[in-house]
Amino acid sequence: MLKGLLATMLLASTASVALAETKLKLVEVITSPERTEVLQKLVDEYEAANDGVTVEIVSLPWGSAFEKLATMVSGGDVPDVVEMPDRWAALYAGSGQLAKLGDLVENWEHGDTLTQKTIDMGTQAGDLYMIPYGFYLRAMFYNKKLLEEAGVEAPPKTMEEFKAAAAAVSELDGKSGYCLRGGPGGLNAWVMMAAAMNGTNEFFTEDGKSRINEPGSVEGIQYLIDLYQNGHAPRDSVSWGFNEIVAGFYSGTCAFLDQDPDALIAVAERMPEEDFAVIPMPVGPSGKAFPTIGFVGWSIFESTEHKDESWNLVAHLSSPDANATWAKRVGVIPVHEGADQDPYFKTEQFKGWFDTLNGDEYVPTVMPTYLERFGFFADSVVLESSQEALLGQRTAQDIADEWAAFLTDEYAKWKAKQ
């Protein structure tokens, strides 16, 4: 009897250990203490509902996240679930490293309430490899007090007005017009300025050539270089990333900041509501502006040994309640139908983004993230070459030609697989 009892206890102990050994690794790549805190609370809810499953959150700093994740994956330290930016999805999905989620979403209780845009954005080559958790749409923050002090009577609506306003603010002692993002993640501004001056957000011609080095696009690239070289952006902004540009705005260092809704969280916490506002991006000579719209979501690596548990985690993070919590705290437009009726998103704070969505002169620009090496282009090629141009080491035409050659080649590779 004693032997039987010991055997039973040993089996129970073994089962308990086996159950506790179900550990998932979740990598987040757009990190801040606030975001990680929210993510941890959502993960805690998942763990409470899934006995024996634990989740380790690995936070990678955005400035080096692309390289760090690639190093982890190539070294065999592959996470189960990853926060997947749109620009990286084609690389990992195209190489067969991400699990297909289409069938899982079809059988999911909340699958029917995901908006069509959410499904479309998460799809690569006909398969769903990601559930986006929200959308980032670019608009322009402006500091009311600095504009008034500089004698700027109204917020700018055109590129010319924006240039003049930035120059006027830069005449103030210790102030600059524009919070330039010259460091990691700066691609959006280069694309928007190029598109606004070129009058189109088409990335390629009918014969597959990149339009980034067309005369209008080069003019837009030069526009951004001039803002920096003429002293209308802080000198150290050549290396600024997200945190630096947002801090530059709410500290009153510079008067303008083009950013997505995620920046509103930090700004609203540190500036009185009456001191700033958000407007659509200024239009170019064609009367159009082309604000970028992007997304990030949750993906599962195909190599996971715990696919059911990983999917349950993604499903929990993507549920309507969890997504609403996440969207409000990190600053994105939610992904479930009806979320726009939430009083939180019907306030004046979001007016600039909703004006952008509702105005015919504003045409959202989707990056060509379907190109497998677009992530490398955005985070490495553009980062290095644009900083060289800002510092006067290269011309606008020079870097535009480099970008065009890269994109044209990548487009040809993508086209050949279709």
Side-chain angles (χ1 to χ4, degrees):
M1 185 172 180
L2 180 58
K3 288 183 178 180
L5 179 61
L6 289 174
T8 301
M9 292 175 61
L10 179 60
L11 286 172
S13 176
T14 302
S16 177
V17 171
L19 191 62
E21 286 180 352
T22 305
K23 296 182 179 179
L24 302 179
K25 179 177 291 186
L26 186 161
V27 168
E28 60 167 340
V29 301
I30 306 176
T31 57
S32 71
E34 295 82 5
R35 289 171 66 99
T36 303
E37 180 182 357
V38 178
L39 181 58
Q40 185 63 64
K41 289 180 179 179
L42 295 176
V43 165
D44 288 345
E45 294 173 359
Y46 167 80
E47 291 180 336
N50 291 268
D51 290 338
V53 184
T54 60
V55 180
E56 175 192 6
I57 298 176
V58 177
S59 302
L60 304 181
W62 172 247
S64 58
F66 179 76
E67 293 81 5
K68 287 184 180 297
L69 179 62
T71 299
M72 288 178 63
V73 172
S74 64
D77 184 18
V78 185
D80 299 281
V81 176
V82 64
E83 181 182 19
M84 180 62 65
D86 52 2
R87 65 182 62 174
W88 302 357
L91 173 64
Y92 287 102
S95 57
Q97 296 184 78
L98 299 183
K100 296 178 181 179
L101 305 179
D103 290 343
L104 294 169
V105 169
E106 280 190 20
N107 296 314
W108 182 39
E109 61 178 320
H110 300 301
D112 289 342
T113 64
L114 291 174
T115 65
Q116 189 59 48
K117 177 174 286 186
T118 301
I119 298 297
D120 292 343
M121 293 290 193
T123 298
Q124 295 280 342
D127 288 304
L128 186 71
Y129 290 98
M130 175 211 302
I131 299 183
Y133 60 58
F135 300 98
Y136 296 89
L137 178 65
R138 200 55 61 99
M140 186 72 76
F141 291 72
Y142 72 94
N143 185 312
K144 294 180 179 180
K145 286 187 173 181
L146 285 182
L147 263 61
E148 181 179 0
E149 189 177 348
V152 179
E153 296 182 357
K157 295 183 178 180
T158 69
M159 295 278 281
E160 281 301 311
E161 291 176 357
F162 176 68
K163 182 191 296 183
V169 172
S170 299
E171 293 296 322
L172 301 175
D173 186 32
K175 304 298 181 181
S176 295
Y178 177 55
C179 289
L180 171 72
R181 188 168 182 171
L187 174 64
N188 293 61
W190 297 101
V191 167
M192 290 189 297
M193 299 300 184
M197 298 306 289
N198 204 29
T200 177
N201 64 350
E202 294 179 353
F203 279 88
F204 302 99
T205 61
E206 289 187 4
D207 59 352
K209 289 184 171 55
S210 170
R211 305 192 67 166
I212 197 68
N213 65 339
E214 292 182 347
S217 296
V218 175
E219 186 178 353
I221 293 171
Q222 187 64 55
Y223 180 101
L224 203 54
I225 294 172
D226 288 343
L227 280 177
Y228 179 77
Q229 294 186 348
N230 291 337
H232 302 157
R235 300 314 297 171
D236 56 349
S237 66
V238 67
S239 61
W240 280 8
F242 176 82
N243 291 333
E244 291 82 5
I245 59 172
V246 175
F249 181 77
Y250 66 62
S251 67
T253 299
C254 37
F256 294 104
L257 166 71
D258 67 87
Q259 255 309 315
D260 309 311
D262 55 347
L264 181 59
I265 297 171
V267 172
E269 287 178 349
R270 296 167 174 85
M271 292 182 72
E273 185 176 347
E274 62 272 15
D275 288 354
F276 75 97
V278 180
I279 56 174
M281 292 297 296
V283 301
S286 69
K288 299 278 188 180
F290 303 94
T292 54
I293 185 170
F295 59 96
V296 184
W298 307 113
S299 291
I300 299 172
F301 270 94
E302 182 66 29
S303 61
T304 180
E305 297 179 357
H306 310 291
K307 190 168 185 178
D308 289 344
E309 292 84 355
S310 295
W311 162 245
N312 289 337
L313 175 57
V314 169
H316 173 71
L317 295 175
S318 304
S319 66
D321 288 344
N323 180 245
T325 298
W326 181 255
K328 292 173 185 178
R329 292 296 297 273
V330 307
V332 290
I333 307 301
V335 299
H336 288 276
E337 294 176 355
D340 58 338
Q341 297 306 307
D342 189 315
Y344 179 88
F345 296 106
K346 295 176 73 69
T347 66
E348 283 296 308
Q349 288 186 321
F350 282 87
K351 179 174 171 53
W353 290 286
F354 287 112
D355 285 350
T356 298
L357 289 172
N358 296 326
D360 292 337
E361 63 268 53
Y362 309 112
V363 184
T365 297
V366 178
M367 296 285 195
T369 55
Y370 53 85
L371 303 179
E372 283 196 18
R373 299 185 71 211
F374 186 76
F376 175 72
F377 172 75
D379 298 322
S380 295
V381 175
V382 171
L383 174 59
E384 181 178 353
S385 54
S386 63
Q387 287 179 329
E388 290 171 344
L390 291 170
L391 296 172
Q393 298 167 0
R394 297 178 65 178
T395 66
Q397 186 69 60
D398 187 23
I399 64 170
D401 287 341
E402 179 187 353
W403 299 352
F406 185 99
L407 292 173
T408 297
D409 184 57
E410 287 301 306
Y411 184 78
K413 294 177 183 176
W414 174 80
K415 193 73 173 177
K417 295 181 179 180
Q418 304 311 301

